[in-house]
């Protein structure tokens, strides 16, 4: 929605280019807080001239930054991490206001993102390269070089964490960076830019450009940007990946998810209840790692009752945050509306959740729907809300067949007290991140983050060593100084 007629009293949010706030002439895109539905800003929508300016600023900054030794480059990242930790409450409140999650969840996401800064600070140890005397008197070595100006396009659901998956490694590797955050959460991105400069990052090394689809397309087509990482929904990830590749860029695009948690009858019921609820309803289910389908193997009635009891204790509005837009809230509710007609049973109904939160906020409470079939929309679509669908099966193989058939492949988890079942699941689940008695199996750095199948387009993961490889290219140097090197025919 774009503001038109009456002048609206909301702050204008400009791009952050070369350390400066750059605004647009047009009305901008309206930004609402999910907590109370209020208009909290008008964010600029970059035109081609602003994007060109941003790319040329980043290219100019790259001249100096790319030849700054990595040990010097990371000094401001140490400082940045410290500043973010000291001001985590302030950052958490900014995130909560624009995204709708609780401040505690916002700070947890920030801290998870800061682990990647920690990894980036270790890059002097990892970028050392290799050298070998490959023939008598002839040395071969590899060195990794930055790509130049690179970009990241990010979703609404983790306004700090997802950008943090990208820019610390990219910058530490010597690139200059352009972040295009979701137009629904523009405030956090600009704050991160300010804090990076406060930490000593030279202006122009990290820039933020705001906008919607047109801005993304211009960015993907821009010949001055060498590589782009994207995180968002699968249909957009697929098209962004293809467009970027067609424009000659290095691309990695992470997409959506439909994560299965398999519960065996021998699982610890208390652990299952608290973990499955935390996974399905944390961040109001708006997580690419959320458990969305629980596959109950054998007799799990008592366990399901415990999950239901636990879900009913979660306070919507205080312990569980809001949904990003009213449109998303209505879409989520429509899945619950349709459950009865499918023959499924609504055990906990989030549409009826009581809340002390603002009545204009976009809330849905935890919802649990039993007797869902594998072919139902409840079991197939990425609902991206606090809705847990339960499918009943008799064996672990049946559960795996359901998990394997879904087109996504971000995460899959099993709850069991039997090592053989866990090992079998780990071996046969068709996803990039597996949990055993862990409901949100996000690997901690340096283990990298990334899914499989339609949850990822491109090669490799987004963080860890794969991130380092994505944002760099290797140069191989072969050297002979001695005329009498007795080198063989290859030299
Ligand atoms: P989204 O796909 O709507 O938007 C992501 C980004 O793409 C935003 O910056 C947006 O401005 C831009 N965009 C939107 N429509 C576009 C279009 N038609 N063309 C080009 N660009 C466009 O995603 P979202 O709703 O912001 O975030 C939720 C989605 O992100 C979920 O599907 C979730 O699973 C996914 N996600 C995945 C991961 C992962 O690691 N795989 C992590 C977080 C979120």
């Amino acid at each position: 929605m774009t503001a038109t007629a009456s002048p609206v009293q909301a702050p204008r949010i400009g791009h952050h280019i070369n350390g400066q706030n750059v605004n647009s002439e047009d009305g901008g895109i309206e930004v609402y807080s999910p907590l109370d539905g209020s208009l909290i800003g008008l964010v600029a929508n970059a035109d081609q001239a602003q994007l060109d300016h941003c790319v040329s600023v980043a290219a100019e900054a790259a001249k100096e930054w790319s030849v700054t030794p990595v040990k010097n480059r990371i000094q401001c990242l140490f400082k940045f991490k410290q500043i973010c930790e000291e001001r985590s409450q302030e950052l958490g409140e900014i995130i909560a206001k624009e995204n709708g999650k609780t401040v505690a969840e916002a700070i947890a996401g920030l801290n998870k993102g800061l682990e990647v800064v920690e990894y980036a600070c270790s890059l002097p140890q990892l970028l050392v390269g290799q050298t070998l005397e490959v023939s008598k008197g002839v040395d071969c070595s590899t060195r990794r070089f930055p790509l130049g100006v690179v970009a990241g396009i990010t979703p609404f659901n983790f306004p700090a964490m997802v950008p943090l998956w990208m820019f610390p490694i990219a910058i530490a590797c010597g690139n200059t960076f352009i972040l295009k955050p979701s137009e629904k959460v523009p405030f956090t991105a600009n704050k991160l830019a300010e804090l990076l400069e406060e930490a000593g990052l030279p202006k122009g090394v990290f820039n933020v450009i705001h906008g919607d689809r047109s801005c993304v397309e211009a960015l993907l087509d821009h010949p001055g940007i060498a590589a782009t990482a994207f995180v968002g929904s699968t249909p957009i990830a697929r098209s962004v990946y293809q467009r970027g590749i067609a424009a000659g860029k290095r691309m990695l695009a992470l997409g959506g998810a439909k994560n299965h948690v398999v519960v065996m009858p021998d699982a610890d019921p208390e652990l299952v209840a608290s973990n499955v609820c935390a996974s399905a309803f944390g961040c109001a289910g708006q997580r690419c790692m959320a458990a969305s389908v629980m596959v109950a193997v054998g007799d799990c009635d008592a366990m399901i009752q415990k999950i239901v009891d636990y879900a009913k204790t979660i306070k919507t509005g205080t312990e569980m945050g809001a949904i990003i837009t009213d449109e998303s809230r209505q879409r989520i509710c429509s899945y619950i509306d349709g459950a009865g007609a499918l023959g499924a049973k609504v055990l906990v109904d989030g549409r009826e959740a009581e809340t002390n939160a603002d009545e204009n906020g976009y809330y849905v409470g935890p919802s649990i729907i039993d007797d869902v079939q594998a072919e139902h929309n409840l079991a197939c679509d990425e609902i991206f809300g606090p809705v847990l669908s339960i499918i009943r099966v008799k064996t672990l193989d049946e559960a795996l067949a359901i998990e394997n058939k879904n087109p996504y492949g971000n995460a899959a988890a099993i709850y069991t007290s039997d090592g053989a079942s866990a090992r079998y699941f780990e071996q046969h689940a068709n996803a990039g991140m597996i949990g055993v008695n862990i409901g949100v199996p996000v690997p901690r750095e340096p283990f990298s983050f990334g899914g499989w199948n339609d949850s990822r387009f491109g090669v490799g993961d987004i963080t860890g060593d794969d991130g380092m490889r994505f944002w760099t290219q290797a140069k191989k140097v072969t050297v002979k100084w001695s005329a009498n090197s007795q080198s063989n025919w290859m030299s």
Side-chain angles (χ1 to χ4, degrees):
M1 233 192 320
T2 304
T4 46
S6 63
V8 191
Q9 298 302 313
R12 302 284 299 257
I13 309 147
H15 317 294
H16 186 103
I17 303 174
N18 211 17
Q20 287 176 340
N21 184 55
V22 177
N23 233 311
S24 292
E25 294 301 313
D26 67 3
I29 306 166
E30 296 177 351
V31 185
Y32 293 90
S33 173
L35 299 175
D36 58 9
S38 62
L39 183 68
I40 54 172
L42 291 169
V43 65
N45 195 1
D47 57 21
Q48 188 68 45
Q50 286 170 331
L51 179 64
D52 288 345
H53 170 54
C54 188
V55 175
S56 68
V57 157
E60 189 56 34
K63 288 180 186 162
E64 188 61 35
W65 186 247
S66 62
V67 294
T68 302
V70 62
K71 274 179 174 294
N72 298 26
R73 288 197 297 251
I74 60 160
Q75 294 311 315
C76 57
L77 289 175
F78 278 116
K79 184 90 174 88
F80 170 71
K81 180 168 182 282
Q82 188 191 345
I83 294 174
C84 287
E85 282 162 352
E86 284 164 5
R87 293 168 61 177
S88 62
Q89 182 66 25
E90 177 192 342
L91 276 162
E93 284 169 15
I94 294 171
I95 295 167
K97 187 171 175 185
E98 63 180 0
N99 170 280
K101 63 178 73 186
T102 68
V103 173
E105 286 173 337
I107 294 174
L110 171 69
N111 288 336
K112 184 74 189 85
L114 291 178
E115 274 192 7
V116 183
V117 179
E118 219 170 273
Y119 172 86
C121 288
S122 72
L123 277 166
Q125 278 67 42
L126 303 169
L127 279 173
V128 281
Q130 295 173 316
T131 307
L132 183 72
E133 186 181 34
V134 289
S135 188
K136 190 90 175 152
V138 178
D139 294 334
C140 239
S141 63
T142 52
R143 274 174 69 189
R144 299 202 78 85
F145 284 76
L147 304 174
V149 179
V150 299
I153 302 164
T154 52
F156 78 83
N157 65 330
F158 283 98
M161 185 184 79
V162 174
L164 282 163
W165 285 350
M166 303 174 179
F167 72 77
I169 301 177
I171 284 174
C173 287
N175 303 283
T176 55
F177 198 91
I178 299 173
L179 173 64
K180 205 306 281 176
S182 163
E183 61 275 36
K184 299 185 180 99
V185 293
F187 289 94
T188 306
N190 281 13
K191 193 72 196 171
L192 292 172
E194 272 172 41
L195 298 184
L196 279 164
E197 280 158 18
E198 199 178 315
L201 189 75
K203 292 185 171 53
V205 173
F206 179 83
N207 307 279
V208 181
I209 197 108
H210 293 289
D212 55 18
R213 176 182 184 161
S214 59
C215 171
V216 171
E217 291 179 349
L219 193 152
L220 292 167
D221 294 345
H222 205 293
I225 300 172
T228 301
F230 171 94
V231 176
S233 56
T234 286
I236 314 280
R238 184 185 279 115
S239 69
V240 159
Y241 177 79
Q242 288 167 349
R243 190 166 183 139
I245 291 286
K249 286 185 183 21
R250 186 182 287 198
M251 293 294 302
L252 177 65
L254 303 191
K258 189 77 180 170
N259 304 314
H260 293 68
V261 56
V262 173
V263 176
M264 302 297 286
D266 60 13
D268 174 344
E270 301 297 332
L271 189 72
V272 168
S274 62
N275 280 210
V276 169
C277 285
S279 179
F281 309 131
C283 297
Q286 299 169 108
R287 273 198 293 208
C288 65
M289 294 296 279
S292 166
V293 177
M294 169 174 152
V295 190
V297 179
D299 180 7
C300 287
D301 285 352
M303 210 120 52
I304 289 169
Q305 188 55 50
K306 273 197 183 299
I307 296 171
V308 165
D309 294 343
Y310 196 100
K312 286 181 176 168
T313 67
I314 298 170
K315 295 188 180 63
T316 306
T318 46
E319 292 167 352
M320 201 179 84
I323 303 301
I324 188 70
T325 60
D326 195 42
E327 191 190 354
S328 299
R329 190 189 63 77
Q330 288 178 31
R331 188 183 47 77
I332 292 163
C333 288
S334 74
Y335 281 94
I336 311 171
D337 296 341
L342 296 170
K345 227 183 299 164
V346 180
L347 303 182
V348 184
D349 190 342
R351 296 168 302 180
E352 295 167 356
E354 284 179 19
T355 170
N356 292 329
D358 193 290
E359 60 181 6
N360 295 315
Y362 314 139
Y363 293 96
V364 185
S367 308
I368 300 178
I369 304 176
D370 199 359
D371 291 334
V372 172
Q373 303 299 315
E375 65 280 7
H376 289 163
N377 59 0
L378 284 159
C380 301
D381 298 358
E382 184 182 37
I383 300 174
F384 221 54
V387 180
L388 179 70
S389 304
I390 300 177
I391 302 179
R392 309 273 194 144
V393 297
K394 292 195 177 65
T395 65
L396 177 54
D397 277 321
E398 277 179 74
L400 274 164
I402 290 168
E403 191 284 329
N404 282 191
K405 215 173 156 197
N406 102 85
Y408 299 100
N410 230 28
I414 185 168
Y415 279 82
T416 180
S417 55
D418 174 44
S421 302
R423 178 87 178 131
Y424 189 74
F425 181 82
E426 188 189 313
Q427 185 77 22
H428 295 285
N430 189 12
M433 292 172 279
I434 304 295
V436 175
N437 296 321
I438 301 266
V440 186
V442 177
R444 293 202 67 172
E445 295 303 314
F447 295 93
S448 49
F449 186 100
W452 287 3
N453 311 326
D454 284 359
S455 295
R456 191 264 318 263
F457 301 90
V459 177
D461 293 336
I462 199 159
T463 63
D465 293 354
D466 280 358
M468 187 250 292
R469 279 186 284 270
F470 182 75
W471 299 116
T472 56
Q473 52 196 340
K475 191 174 272 183
K476 288 70 60 182
V477 182
T478 308
V479 178
K480 178 173 71 183
W481 280 112
S482 164
N484 307 317
S485 61
Q486 298 175 343
S487 47
N488 69 14
W489 63 272
M490 286 288 281
S491 307

